[in-house]
Amino acid sequence: MAQTLVLLFAICRLMSTVGLTVEPAELLPRLAVEGQLSLDPAEVAAAGADFGGLARAEPVAVMRPGSAGDVAGLVRAAYGSARGFPVSARGHGHCTGGQALAPGGVVIEMSRGRLEPRPRPAYSPSTGEYYVDVWGGDLWIDVLNWTLANGGLAPKSWTDYLYLSVGGTLSNAGISGQAFHHGPQSSNVYELDVVTGKGELITCSEEQNSELFHGVLGGLGQFGIITRARIALEQAPQRVRWIRVLYSDFGAFTRDQEHLISLHGALPSQRFDYVEGFVIVDEGLINNWRSSFFSPKNPVKISSVGSNGGVLYCLEMTKNYDDSTADTIDEVVEALLRQLSFIPATVFTTDLPYVDFLDRVHKAELRLRAKGLWEVPHPWLNLFVPASRIADFDRGVFRGILGNRTSGPILIYPMNKHKWDDRSSVVTPDEEVFYLVAFLRSALSDSDDPTQSLEYLSQQNQKILEFCDEVGIEMKQYLPHHPSRTEWARHFGPKWARFVRRKAQFDPKFILGTGQGIFQPSSSPLSLLFPS
């Protein structure tokens, strides 16, 4: 470890004076860590890009940590140097705006530093709950497989895509259709080990070092790097009844969605376990790349359903069951569906194993990879829209700005604010019910259709943001990206002063998460409180 620190200090001095002129081969023999610190051009180039394909900035080096001590040692080296250098944690590289980039610094490849032995669930007599301790770079798909294999357990709250790192989703929130009941993933963690921007390895929870605990959850990587997370577990169901119903009336669609999430406190037999939805404006198939729900041999098209103005809305729900409840699943689902006002004869159902449902997006990913359509630019835009303005958003965006093309799925589903911990760094609208609206688009550079180009989709995203400003929709970006300090201060609103205070406390040299663009090394905490 001592040799590693000498190496990193040398890198920092070279960067801050004459630039990195020493050949990587001259530095690598001095490396001595549990994991690996690489200057290999191919690895450096790979760490300089992400899933979004919109930003690129190469680090000087890439670390594959062998332990939390490796992470702490690297950050201590950056903190102890005269000018510091950027350090960013990278999970599966699924960021869409360069958030995990570390230009001129070091990227920590957390998902390549899995610890052994593999974690096993445990039981807490004091809380009566099961949990599992996992490495911050572990992928949720691996956590699922490990916990299922040890007691048939699973985390309570999910994201739609499981090939994301635990630390990555907790640093944003982590949401899916279970969030209305369980809250986001950041509300389902008991304890963390965090390396702060000073290189300190600290255990934190609601009871211990709570300021760091709440700051890191949803903190966009600004206050520390999560090296361990204690995740809440529950008994996993065996199977899932997956249901989709269609609407042409947006008011009926949102009323039904909000009714379903209001049942979060009901008995399991009186509520669904997952509630999402999506908007269909493209001519053609209702199916999309997020699932293989509808059979290719029996496609469902907009033209086959009476839509109003070419726009349909799909409400998506699941009901979990196992052998003991299989005899009653039809009755339970039918009773819940009778409470809804969807278009008659548009009920589509399928039954599948619980794991297959949770991993549904990955199957579509494999198909897109085979066609060369996965590693393309992804100008995604994710918004939290207050329920009181969601109808205005529909009129202005779904039935206005989008026209009849989307270039990817558009998710829309509501959540309950009281399931989110306001002490965390996550920012949501100031209403009890708010919607995620996620534009998950893919840009195709070789397409003859100009509406599928990166330039067109990026401009359309900007029009959506400008529309919200013009009509006074107080939305918040999820997985946010803002170009200026003023806009970041506006994004955080009343939480901005606390966010800045936490930065000064836990990362005073602004070493961590520089790819987010929130804090720059030349900024002072005082100037950040009063953005120009």
Side-chain angles (χ1 to χ4, degrees):
M1 180 62 72
Q3 289 177 307
T4 301
L5 299 187
V6 170
L7 168 61
L8 293 173
F9 278 121
I11 292 174
C12 185
R13 287 198 299 270
L14 288 167
M15 289 169 57
S16 63
T17 53
V18 298
L20 185 59
T21 58
V22 179
E23 290 295 322
E26 297 178 44
L27 296 174
L28 283 173
R30 302 171 61 184
L31 179 64
V33 295
E34 293 180 57
Q36 180 184 7
L37 180 67
S38 173
L39 300 171
D40 180 79
E43 292 193 46
V44 168
D50 60 22
F51 178 73
L54 308 180
R56 183 167 189 84
E58 291 189 359
V60 169
V62 176
M63 171 179 270
R64 298 179 185 176
S67 67
D70 281 357
V71 178
L74 171 65
V75 179
R76 277 198 303 272
Y79 181 69
S81 62
R83 298 178 61 180
F85 54 85
V87 176
S88 287
R90 173 187 170 101
H92 200 51
H94 208 72
C95 296
T96 57
Q99 292 92 335
L101 303 182
V106 180
V107 168
I108 304 176
E109 291 278 8
M110 294 293 291
S111 290
R112 297 187 181 184
R114 180 177 300 131
L115 300 181
E116 298 291 348
R118 291 181 176 180
R120 297 175 64 90
Y123 178 76
S124 172
S126 61
T127 63
E129 299 281 349
Y130 287 92
Y131 65 86
V132 65
D133 287 327
V134 297
W135 172 246
D138 283 336
L139 302 184
W140 285 102
I141 181 64
D142 294 324
V143 176
L144 173 63
N145 289 331
W146 295 334
T147 55
L148 282 175
N150 291 275
L153 300 166
K156 297 179 179 181
S157 190
W158 293 100
T159 57
D160 286 339
Y161 181 61
L162 302 188
Y163 287 74
L164 304 174
S165 70
V166 170
T169 65
L170 293 180
S171 296
N172 288 280
I175 55 175
S176 185
Q178 303 89 358
F180 81 94
H181 179 59
H182 291 296
Q185 291 179 316
S186 57
S187 293
N188 290 274
V189 58
Y190 297 132
E191 187 178 276
L192 301 170
D193 283 348
V194 174
V195 174
T196 71
K198 300 177 183 179
E200 302 167 318
L201 179 57
I202 297 175
T203 298
C204 56
S205 65
E206 286 196 5
E207 295 78 27
Q208 179 183 9
N209 299 307
S210 60
E211 188 74 10
L212 179 61
F213 180 74
H214 295 302
V216 167
L217 294 172
L220 307 177
Q222 297 304 301
F223 313 120
I225 296 171
I226 297 171
T227 58
R228 179 185 63 90
R230 178 165 290 181
I231 305 298
L233 302 177
E234 65 179 359
Q235 197 66 42
Q238 295 173 322
R239 296 187 64 77
V240 165
R241 172 71 54 85
W242 188 5
I243 308 116
R244 285 179 174 175
V245 295
L246 300 179
Y247 295 75
S248 58
D249 184 319
F250 186 72
F253 170 70
T254 55
R255 281 193 300 272
D256 282 356
Q257 280 195 317
E258 291 179 30
H259 167 67
L260 291 179
I261 72 164
S262 74
L263 304 176
H264 59 86
L267 295 172
S269 62
Q270 297 173 359
R271 60 170 170 79
F272 285 114
D273 298 294
Y274 160 103
V275 177
E276 284 199 15
F278 55 91
V279 182
I280 308 155
V281 301
D282 287 24
E283 285 297 331
L285 296 179
I286 289 173
N287 196 17
N288 58 60
W289 62 256
R290 289 182 62 253
S291 74
S292 55
F293 185 91
F294 297 110
S295 169
K297 296 180 180 179
N298 186 27
V300 179
K301 297 186 177 182
I302 288 181
S303 58
S304 68
V305 182
S307 63
N308 180 13
V311 180
L312 286 173
Y313 311 93
C314 181
L315 175 54
E316 183 175 64
M317 306 146 289
T318 68
K319 189 63 210 159
N320 301 334
Y321 67 99
D322 51 32
D323 291 341
S324 65
T325 55
D327 291 342
T328 61
I329 184 65
D330 291 341
E331 179 183 349
V332 168
V333 169
E334 288 170 7
L336 288 166
L337 290 179
R338 282 196 294 270
Q339 302 174 31
L340 308 180
S341 301
F342 51 85
I343 299 172
T346 64
V347 180
F348 305 92
T349 67
T350 188
D351 290 69
L352 68 169
Y354 182 61
V355 174
D356 289 356
F357 171 73
L358 290 180
D359 199 28
R360 62 200 180 279
V361 175
H362 181 58
K363 295 177 181 179
E365 173 194 350
L366 296 177
R367 292 195 299 271
L368 290 177
R369 283 188 182 278
K371 298 177 181 178
L373 298 176
W374 185 257
E375 294 180 358
V376 299
H378 296 93
W380 287 9
L381 179 64
N382 295 268
L383 305 176
F384 288 151
V385 179
S388 66
R389 301 302 304 275
I390 196 66
D392 296 324
F393 193 93
D394 171 59
R395 286 188 291 270
V397 178
F398 302 149
R399 297 180 181 276
I401 293 172
L402 292 184
N404 65 347
R405 298 290 303 199
T406 65
S407 297
I410 304 173
L411 309 188
I412 174 171
Y413 59 90
M415 290 171 281
N416 296 305
K417 187 179 179 74
H418 73 273
K419 295 290 185 177
W420 297 60
D421 194 328
D422 194 54
R423 295 170 295 180
S424 77
S425 296
V426 181
V427 180
T428 61
D430 192 22
E431 291 187 10
E432 170 55 25
V433 175
F434 61 92
Y435 282 77
L436 170 73
V437 182
F439 300 87
L440 309 181
R441 281 103 75 84
S442 302
L444 303 177
S445 59
D446 57 352
S447 173
D448 294 331
D449 184 353
T451 66
Q452 293 186 315
S453 70
L454 176 59
E455 180 182 10
Y456 179 88
L457 295 174
S458 298
Q459 290 175 351
Q460 195 173 73
N461 285 346
Q462 187 59 36
K463 289 179 181 179
I464 292 170
L465 297 175
E466 291 172 355
F467 166 77
C468 290
D469 281 342
E470 290 169 2
V471 300
I473 297 176
E474 294 292 330
M475 59 77 189
K476 297 292 183 181
Q477 287 191 34
Y478 176 58
L479 312 177
H481 175 74
H482 295 287
S484 71
R485 186 195 314 167
T486 300
E487 290 185 57
W488 277 112
R490 178 186 174 191
H491 169 80
F492 284 103
K495 288 189 174 184
W496 177 242
R498 184 178 69 184
F499 198 83
V500 171
R501 186 183 72 246
R502 285 172 170 171
K503 187 68 170 180
Q505 179 180 357
F506 298 117
D507 184 24
K509 286 193 175 181
F510 303 155
I511 289 167
L512 302 177
T514 56
Q516 289 279 0
I518 307 174
F519 300 102
Q520 300 301 325
S522 60
S523 303
S524 69
L526 184 62
S527 69
L528 289 166
L529 283 171
F530 303 100
S532 56

